[in-house]
Amino acid sequence: MQSALKSTTQHHLRQSLLCMASGLLSALAFSTHSTAWLVWVSFIPWLYVLFRHQDTHPEASRWALAKRFGFYSWLFGASFNIGIIHWLKELHPLTWLPGVDNVTSLLIVYGGIFGISLFVSLWGLLYGLVLGALKPQGILRVIYPAVLWMFLEALQAMGQMSLPWARLAMSQYKNLWLLQIVPHTGQLVIGALIIALNAALARFVLSFGPDPKPKPYWHYPGFRSGFGVLGVIGLLLAYGATRLNSH
């Protein structure tokens, strides 16, 4: 009994660490000029954890699946947002404020970073709850995450508590070819394409990895859906290049 409990605990810990690592890698795509490409693959570990949990618990109810998806997505969101707003540490020291010493300044600055990140990651919790309740299968594992991410970013942009720094399209600010679609579609579509490719690749890893007799890549649904998403991205890049060259 204790052995089974320990094994389950270790499994959940590994999955949780994967989700947090995925969030930090995704945030890294916003940090330097040379890491923007990471965002096209950095969501794979998180989505892999979600899909694998669903496949290993086919009997789970929608509510049970939603709770687990929500928890893992909250962990992803917390680490992602900590990485995004890490620059707030530059506010330290706040010793110019009355009565604030170095220790108090550290508590304020890092407490603010963690507090804001945990609060904003509630959007990730909501995302996971909805995605888990939908119990996506097949190609819907590519479509649902992408569409839900569009809704998530749209909702995040509303009101005084919005967090504009984490829009996925912002990580691609140097990709001028891709940005040419923004006047026609808005920036949310770029985020949806990024999530769709990550979801397709996670789906491929999930089916290819455990196969004891691996087949050619194109036999796996995840590869075909990923190829389709890459085809759409390629067409958009070609349109962007043509549009820029025509001006």
Side-chain angles (χ1 to χ4, degrees):
M1 180 68 178
Q2 289 183 344
S3 176
L5 180 62
K6 182 179 179 181
S7 177
T8 302
T9 302
Q10 290 176 341
H11 171 74
H12 288 314
L13 178 60
R14 287 194 298 269
Q15 307 296 9
S16 299
L17 290 174
L18 271 177
C19 291
M20 289 188 287
S22 184
L24 291 173
L25 280 174
S26 299
L28 184 60
F30 293 80
S31 299
T32 69
H33 299 311
S34 59
T35 54
W37 62 271
L38 270 175
V39 80
W40 294 98
V41 295
S42 59
F43 292 83
I44 294 175
W46 164 53
L47 293 168
Y48 170 85
V49 168
L50 299 186
F51 297 155
R52 187 172 186 274
H53 179 80
Q54 181 181 352
D55 288 348
T56 54
H57 297 82
E59 76 291 345
S61 65
R62 290 183 183 273
W63 174 235
L65 198 61
K67 288 191 294 182
R68 184 58 63 178
F69 271 41
F71 174 70
Y72 285 141
S73 299
W74 177 75
L75 288 177
F76 167 84
S79 61
F80 177 58
N81 286 298
I82 286 173
I84 289 291
I85 65 171
H86 72 280
W87 53 267
L88 288 176
K89 70 181 187 296
E90 301 300 329
L91 293 174
H92 175 74
L94 294 172
T95 49
W96 53 272
L97 291 173
V100 176
D101 56 18
N102 273 321
V103 174
T104 305
S105 175
L106 285 170
L107 290 174
I108 293 173
V109 171
Y110 284 94
I113 291 174
F114 282 96
I116 293 170
S117 299
L118 293 176
F119 177 76
V120 176
S121 64
L122 293 176
W123 286 111
L125 173 65
L126 176 62
Y127 181 95
L129 287 172
V130 175
L131 185 60
L134 291 172
K135 297 185 76 169
Q137 293 285 359
I139 191 63
L140 294 180
R141 287 186 169 180
V142 177
I143 296 173
Y144 282 172
V147 172
L148 285 176
W149 194 273
M150 289 180 64
F151 279 110
L152 178 71
E153 288 197 346
L155 289 172
Q156 283 181 323
M158 297 180 180
Q160 299 299 316
M161 300 300 291
S162 63
L163 182 66
W165 308 300
R167 304 290 180 267
L168 296 188
M170 293 179 66
S171 68
Q172 303 302 300
Y173 76 97
K174 294 188 71 176
N175 192 339
L176 298 182
W177 290 359
L178 186 60
L179 292 178
Q180 298 310 302
I181 68 168
V182 172
H184 308 293
T185 65
Q187 53 90 17
L188 296 178
V189 172
I190 294 179
L193 287 171
I194 290 170
I195 295 298
L197 182 60
N198 276 274
L201 293 175
R203 190 174 169 225
F204 169 72
V205 172
L206 191 64
S207 58
F208 177 79
D211 195 339
K213 296 181 179 179
K215 300 179 284 292
Y217 296 145
W218 55 85
H219 284 272
Y220 296 94
F223 180 86
R224 295 195 292 271
S225 56
F227 191 78
V229 175
L230 283 173
V232 172
I233 295 171
L235 289 174
L236 295 176
L237 290 173
Y239 165 76
T242 302
R243 189 168 186 267
L244 284 176
N245 290 333
S246 66
H247 289 292

